[in-house]
Amino acid sequence: MPTAAATPHARPVVFVDGVRTPFGRARPDGIYAHTRADDLAVRTVRELLRRHPGLPPERIDDVAIAATTQRGDQGLTLGRTVGVLAGLPPTVPGFAVDRMCAGAMTAVTATAAAIGFGAQDVVLAGGVEHMGRHPMGFDADPNPRFVAERLVDAQALNMGCTAENLHDRDPRLTRERADEYGVRSQRRYAEALAAGRITPDLVPVATRDPERGWGLATADEPPRPGTTVEQIRALPTPFRAGGRVTAGTAAPLTDGAAMCLLAGQDTAEELGLAPRLRMVSFAYAGVDPAVMGLGPVPATEKALRRAGLGIEDIGLFEINEAFAVQVLAFCDAFGLADDDPRVNPYGGAIAVGHPLASSGVRLMTQLARQFEEHPEVRYGLTTMCVGLGQGGTVIWENPHHADYDGFTGSTTTEAQR
């Protein structure tokens, strides 16, 4: 009779590094209007390899890349095609992921689970979205049963309408609070940019325009520094007449890619890769699609339970700003002030943009830099709402904290980052 295989113990998984392209506006005159989506992802993979020359490319066990609209130049099994285009050895496999806005987050957690199980040692995970070429929902064909059988409200297929529904659900979620939050996001991003906290994680991208010729994208295009509450109050409400959601309190349509390098802690130590985050737990949860912005709340509750932590243990929060009201609902659920300095200290997607499937890794990369600035903070989280009523949360530990029990490896220099 065969002997049952021993169940392996999960091993620590660390986030070694993350990068992203500058984010561009998804429009005909945007910086990436004539740049392929897969080439944006290739640029991030090559940059991670450049920053970590001690990592043999053949040691990479998998490449997971997410996209929400998997067609054209962001289709064809992105993880594999981008790996080949980036010059990885043909022995390195890859695959594509789709969990809409949480695509890159899912690429990270899926491959991290494989590392924790012992099936892999080193992976690349991220996402790309070229919303200028591939608008959200383009060519989608939602099953008519969704509405005919009242499985979901008809408005649940429009993310802006779900944000308006959130405002309806709780009278405390006023337009005034949302407008003030939108201004705060722009201001915090501008302050972080001026302080040098954004640019080190950006990968310059060569661009080509038939009329303007060659260029180099080095900075985010969407931010609107100096935005005032008065300006936002004057904006129209496109999702509902007399509504509360405007372009000033929603993430703009965006093009961009983000990628990270994950490893088992033991493998990172072997290769001299210093961790910037350690994964503690993660969770996904479903909610009524009509109020999809509530998804981060049950996802966070579940992730905290799995980690044996409470919200009071979390010292930094990176919450994706699909809409201001979604962040405010999260803050209300956990007793956080609208202007809590621990919440999105570098601003968020309202300022910098939200290229759907890539945003999860942007949140992680920003949290990693904040951990470096705040060694007194032990735990932080990244969380986001997801279309059709989901939420995802990942809880991370700070390797710079005095109580961190990980190894002390060689560090990556600031110049490399």
Side-chain angles (χ1 to χ4, degrees):
M1 183 174 181
T3 303
T7 301
H9 295 288
R11 59 173 172 163
V13 179
V14 296
F15 176 106
V16 174
D17 205 358
V19 298
R20 67 176 178 87
T21 67
F23 287 171
R25 287 192 170 273
R27 59 190 191 190
D29 61 347
I31 56 176
Y32 299 133
H34 302 280
T35 301
R36 290 179 59 98
D38 48 12
D39 283 337
L40 293 176
V42 165
R43 187 69 189 87
T44 60
V45 170
R46 287 178 173 170
E47 178 64 12
L48 284 172
L49 295 176
R50 185 193 71 81
R51 294 187 182 200
H52 300 280
L55 170 63
E58 63 271 15
R59 291 293 301 272
I60 297 171
D61 290 306
D62 219 341
V63 182
I65 301 180
T68 300
T69 306
Q70 296 191 15
R71 62 186 301 275
D73 56 338
Q74 60 186 43
L76 198 61
T77 314
L78 272 170
R80 176 59 172 173
T81 56
V82 167
V84 171
L85 290 166
L88 294 178
T91 53
V92 177
F95 64 103
V97 178
D98 176 19
R99 201 197 292 263
M100 298 184 78
C101 301
M105 177 178 283
T106 302
V108 168
T109 55
T111 52
I115 293 172
F117 186 77
Q120 298 178 343
D121 294 321
V122 182
V123 299
L124 291 169
V128 61
E129 207 76 49
H130 198 305
M131 300 183 75
R133 286 174 176 258
H134 312 293
M136 182 170 60
F138 182 77
D139 260 359
D141 182 20
N143 195 304
R145 292 180 51 230
F146 280 125
V147 176
E149 298 180 17
R150 298 184 180 181
L151 300 175
V152 300
D153 186 280
Q155 290 188 334
L157 302 179
N158 183 306
M159 299 304 102
C161 291
T162 69
E164 290 284 6
N165 291 343
L166 264 187
H167 276 290
D168 292 342
R169 185 178 183 274
D170 188 340
R172 296 175 301 170
L173 298 172
T174 63
R175 176 169 177 175
E176 289 72 24
R177 286 178 66 188
D179 291 349
E180 291 170 0
Y181 187 90
V183 169
R184 190 177 303 115
S185 179
Q186 296 283 357
R187 185 180 69 247
R188 286 186 174 181
Y189 173 86
E191 291 170 352
L193 181 65
R197 294 167 174 157
I198 302 295
T199 306
D201 298 319
L202 302 186
V203 182
V205 177
T207 61
R208 176 79 169 87
D209 185 280
E211 297 180 359
R212 292 175 289 185
W214 288 98
L216 188 66
T218 59
D220 295 314
E221 192 176 25
R224 295 184 180 277
T227 297
T228 65
V229 169
E230 291 71 26
Q231 289 172 327
I232 292 181
R233 285 176 182 163
L235 294 173
T237 56
F239 304 108
R240 181 189 299 174
R244 287 141 295 191
V245 179
T246 71
T249 56
L253 302 180
T254 318
D255 305 331
M259 200 73 55
C260 72
L261 175 63
L262 303 171
Q265 186 165 277
D266 53 343
T267 302
E269 182 173 16
E270 172 200 343
L271 297 175
L273 302 170
R276 301 181 70 191
L277 307 168
R278 181 184 74 84
M279 186 175 289
V280 177
S281 72
F282 67 87
Y284 297 93
V287 296
D288 182 348
V291 285
M292 69 95 190
L294 289 179
V297 175
T300 297
E301 292 170 342
K302 187 186 292 188
L304 287 170
R305 286 196 304 271
R306 290 176 172 173
L309 298 172
I311 198 67
E312 67 279 0
D313 295 307
I314 305 301
L316 287 165
F317 300 80
E318 275 293 320
I319 308 171
N320 191 45
E321 296 171 355
F323 301 94
V325 66
Q326 166 252 314
V327 181
L328 296 173
F330 181 95
C331 290
D332 285 357
F334 291 105
L336 305 173
D338 293 3
D339 60 351
D340 192 313
R342 300 172 297 172
V343 175
N344 294 0
Y346 293 176
I350 289 173
V352 75
H354 174 29
L356 300 182
S358 69
S359 288
V361 166
R362 177 188 68 80
L363 301 177
M364 297 167 192
T365 301
Q366 291 195 176
L367 181 65
R369 192 158 292 280
Q370 291 156 22
F371 271 179
E372 293 168 356
E373 296 176 4
H374 296 283
E376 76 281 3
V377 171
R378 185 168 186 180
Y379 299 107
L381 66 77
T382 55
T383 188
M384 60 201 316
C385 59
V386 187
L388 293 181
Q390 299 183 77
T393 297
V394 188
I395 296 176
W396 304 90
E397 184 181 14
N398 187 353
H400 307 284
H401 191 273
D403 293 329
Y404 180 70
D405 59 3
F407 73 92
T408 302
S410 61
T411 59
T412 303
T413 67
E414 190 62 30
Q416 287 175 307
R417 289 180 182 164

